[in-house]
Amino acid sequence: MTMVSELGEFLRVRRAALQPEDVGLLNYGIRRVPGLRREELAMLAGVSNTYYTRLEQGLSNNASDAIIDAIARALNLNTDERAHLFNLARARATKRRTVTKPDKARTGTLRLIQSMSSTPAIVLGRRSEVLAWNRLGHRLVAGHLDYDAPKSAATRPNMTRLLFLDQHTRELYPRWLEEATRAVSSLRLVAGRATDDPELASLVGELTLKSEEFAKLWARHPVENCMSGLKHMHHPEVGDLELNFEVLTPPDESGHRILMYAADPGTPAAEALQLLAAGDAVGPEGPARLPLDQRSSTLPQPDSHFRIR
């Protein structure tokens, strides 16, 4: 999918989500299309209907920052959504091409997460692939997979792929839809920044075809920079967990993120993390982790045939 169609689709979806009364316009009864009409959005943004129509149809690629900002205001976009709109518009004008190369976590980052023995930590690449994790992070989110899987690009897990295609991961989140929406929102933001990344396009294409739930969420164009919050988990070894999460972004252009989890002191979740860290956690049916020789078969593998055009 090109950025021209991405921009037009984003504008159409957000325009359809607004009702006239949301933006101070009168609603004169039955409307043939959902949401605002093009001419209404153009009027609110202070541009001609012809110009806005060409922009939405991908026939104009030189919109100024002032026009994009006016459209963002007319659509009532929040900060993350506005940044995403600018990324899509600028990508069309500059026609950037993202150069992909083998990725790996920095040595200093690895030292940092390995030193945090009581804090689950995961290093993610720009496409939500796991570049590294410490022992507790691995045991918390993917104990059924090989601990060394992130070391090779061929076996490296992807958190979004696991969430939609791996049953173990799906069962980890009692509020699965909330977690899935958060994952898609983050991936949408990344897609706006990395406008011509073939690996990212392949991931989105694969998930769109293999998961109807992903396809529906992706089509809604949710956008959110998820830097902190609360995650509800049901771990196979220690049961229910309510954990805070924080995402740290290194001050370089790698796109890497360090995802860390923490429990409030004195809570059952804090005790559960201590059990996992000690390696003594056993559920009612014993440890849930698979033998090493069985773990690779449970990991959803990327399909190189999926591409977005």
Side-chain angles (χ1 to χ4, degrees), residues 122-126 128-132 159 255-259:
I122 304 170
V123 182
L124 299 173
R126 69 171 69 244
S128 72
E129 68 274 26
V130 178
L131 302 179
M159 295 292 283
H256 295 179
R257 293 163 289 158
I258 304 174
L259 171 60

Side-chain angles (χ1 to χ4, degrees), residues 13 36 49 58 75 77 121 148 161 167-168 211 241 259 278:
V13 168
L36 294 180
N49 181 43
L75 289 171
L77 300 185
D148 291 327
R161 183 184 286 113
Q167 190 61 31
H168 292 281
S211 171
L241 295 162
L259 171 60

Side-chain angles (χ1 to χ4, degrees), residues 95-301:
K95 297 183 179 180
R96 295 179 300 178
R97 182 168 185 83
T98 302
V99 178
T100 60
K101 58 182 179 180
D103 205 358
K104 62 179 181 179
R106 295 174 59 247
T107 302
T109 304
L110 292 175
R111 292 196 193 102
L112 175 64
I113 66 168
Q114 297 303 339
S115 69
M116 298 187 293
S117 59
S118 61
T119 300
I122 304 170
V123 182
L124 299 173
R126 69 171 69 244
R127 309 171 195 93
S128 72
E129 68 274 26
V130 178
L131 302 179
W133 43 27
N134 61 14
R135 291 287 178 181
L136 190 52
H138 165 250
R139 194 162 188 186
L140 176 66
V141 303
H144 62 293
L145 302 180
D146 186 358
Y147 175 75
D148 291 327
K151 293 182 179 180
S152 168
T155 59
R156 185 169 288 162
N158 181 287
M159 295 292 283
T160 306
R161 183 184 286 113
L162 289 173
L163 187 61
F164 283 92
L165 303 182
D166 179 72
Q167 190 61 31
H168 292 281
T169 305
R170 191 183 187 100
E171 293 172 353
L172 183 64
Y173 298 99
R175 301 184 184 184
W176 181 86
L177 182 58
E178 176 183 299
E179 189 68 20
T181 302
R182 185 155 46 196
V184 173
S185 299
S186 295
L187 199 63
R188 265 292 182 191
L189 199 61
V190 172
R193 295 168 180 161
T195 58
D196 195 8
D197 183 336
E199 292 185 31
L200 180 59
S202 178
L203 173 66
V204 172
E206 176 192 357
L207 293 177
T208 299
L209 291 178
K210 291 184 177 180
S211 171
E212 183 179 352
E213 293 161 315
F214 177 88
K216 289 180 178 178
L217 285 172
W218 188 256
R220 285 167 43 192
H221 282 258
V223 178
E224 184 180 359
N225 191 15
C226 305
M227 303 300 293
S228 63
L230 192 66
K231 288 182 184 283
H232 297 267
M233 296 181 172
H234 180 77
H235 196 274
E237 297 182 46
V238 295
D240 293 332
L241 295 162
E242 188 174 283
L243 298 175
N244 304 298
F245 76 89
E246 292 287 336
V247 178
L248 302 182
T249 304
D252 55 23
E253 297 183 358
S254 66
H256 295 179
R257 293 163 289 158
I258 304 174
L259 171 60
M260 298 180 296
Y261 302 83
D264 291 333
T267 62
E271 295 178 4
L273 284 185
Q274 291 177 358
L275 285 174
L276 283 178
D280 293 332
V282 178
E285 298 180 358
R289 289 183 296 175
L290 300 176
L292 183 61
D293 59 354
Q294 296 181 22
R295 293 178 190 172
S296 60
S297 63
T298 70
L299 179 61
Q301 295 298 320

